[in-house]
């Protein structure tokens, strides 16, 4: 079933959600503030990450005033598709606050239809200009996949989905010199980015990929 889903995603045949059209306002734009450019959104993420990694975070947008402002509507400037790992919370990693990021997290940033629908909600309904796929070193989902490929033992329960989705990247990189886990994480993160990029539902947004370093706290873009 998982392999069929991966082929389904690769073929970019995700059905479009039916969404209500945005309400027009007199100046001809949709309601709410205009989103920043993708470049400005990415620059803000990286600047916030440098604050976090340097130990001088601002912890913005956390007060009661911000909460009351957001009670009526939200205008996040980036969608972050990341891992559930407790050491990689996007709002902290990028030093952002309430209403800044739309975060979608699964183990190993594995895609499924619910994740894609959530991304589409951000891009199509909230008009978010940037989608960032965030992988990280020492990923447990990657480690479980490599253990399975080495030993050939069956994977218990729902973990099978994670292994089957990450295994193609692991197989492609098995013969490369160096750290197999690192190569697998990078290849899988690229695949997720490329699958999102290729889907017509996400054409309005710029889609990028990055890696989080657990030791330094720094995020680096993956070409």
């Amino acid at each position: 079933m998982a392999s069929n889903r991966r082929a389904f995603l690769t073929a970019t045949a995700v059905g479009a959600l039916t969404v209500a059209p945005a309400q027009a306002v007199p100046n001809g734009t949709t309601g709410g503030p205009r989103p920043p450019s993708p470049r400005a959104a990415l620059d803000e993420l990286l600047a916030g990450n440098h604050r976090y990694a340097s130990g001088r975070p601002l912890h913005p947008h956390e007060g009661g005033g911000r909460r009351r402002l957001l009670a009526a509507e939200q205008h996040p400037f980036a969608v972050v598709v990341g891992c559930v790992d407790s050491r990689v919370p996007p709002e902290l990693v990028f030093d952002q606050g309430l209403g800044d990021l739309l975060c979608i997290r699964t183990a190993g940033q594995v895609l499924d239809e619910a994740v894609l629908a959530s991304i589409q909600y951000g891009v199509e309904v909230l008009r978010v200009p940037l989608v960032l796929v965030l992988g990280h070193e020492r990923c447990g989902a990657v480690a479980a996949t490599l253990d399975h490929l080495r030993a050939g033992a069956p994977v218990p329960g729902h973990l099978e989905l994670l292994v089957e989705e990450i295994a193609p990247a692991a197989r492609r990189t098995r013969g490369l010199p160096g750290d197999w886990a690192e190569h697998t994480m990078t290849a899988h993160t690229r695949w997720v980015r490329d699958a999102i990029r290729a889907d017509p539902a996400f054409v309005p947004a710029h889609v990028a990929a990055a890696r989080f370093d657990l030791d330094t706290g720094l995020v680096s873009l993956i070409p």
Side-chain angles (χ1 to χ4, degrees):
M1 181 175 178
S3 60
N4 289 337
R5 172 167 42 246
R6 191 175 185 90
F8 177 75
L9 297 174
T10 305
T12 66
V14 180
L17 294 175
T18 301
V19 296
Q23 296 297 312
V25 294
N27 64 1
T29 66
T30 55
R34 283 188 177 277
S37 69
R39 182 70 251 180
L42 186 57
D43 286 346
E44 172 56 30
L45 285 182
L46 296 178
N49 173 248
H50 279 279
R51 294 193 301 269
Y52 166 80
S54 68
R56 297 188 294 273
L58 299 178
H59 300 296
H61 303 158
E62 294 185 354
R66 176 70 169 181
R67 185 177 65 250
R68 289 187 290 274
L69 181 66
L70 292 169
E73 59 182 8
Q74 61 172 323
H75 300 284
F77 69 86
V79 173
V80 178
V81 180
C83 182
V84 296
D85 194 298
S86 63
R87 300 165 293 179
V88 195
E91 289 89 350
L92 295 183
V93 166
F94 294 110
D95 191 29
Q96 301 299 321
L98 291 172
D100 291 329
L101 304 179
L102 189 69
C103 299
I104 304 162
R105 301 175 68 182
T106 62
Q109 62 275 357
V110 164
L111 291 180
D112 63 14
E113 287 84 353
V115 172
L116 290 164
S118 300
I119 300 170
Q120 186 169 354
Y121 174 74
V123 171
E124 188 169 316
V125 179
L126 300 180
R127 300 186 301 145
V128 178
L130 174 69
V131 177
L132 182 69
V133 181
L134 184 63
H136 68 96
E137 67 172 338
R138 306 187 194 112
C139 176
V142 169
T145 301
L146 301 191
D147 287 346
H148 168 69
L149 292 179
R150 289 186 185 105
V155 183
H158 301 294
L159 293 176
E160 183 179 6
L161 168 64
L162 303 180
V163 169
E164 290 193 8
E165 292 297 312
I166 298 172
R171 293 189 182 100
R172 289 197 305 273
T173 59
R174 190 166 197 164
L176 296 178
D179 189 330
W180 188 20
E182 182 71 15
H183 292 321
T184 298
M185 180 277 298
T186 301
H188 175 65
T189 303
R190 281 198 185 106
W191 182 88
V192 173
R193 176 199 63 192
D194 293 345
I196 296 171
R197 274 183 181 174
D199 194 305
F202 311 123
V203 167
H206 176 70
V207 186
R211 171 194 184 273
F212 177 67
D213 190 293
L214 292 173
D215 298 303
T216 67
L218 286 172
V219 168
S220 56
L221 294 178
I222 295 174

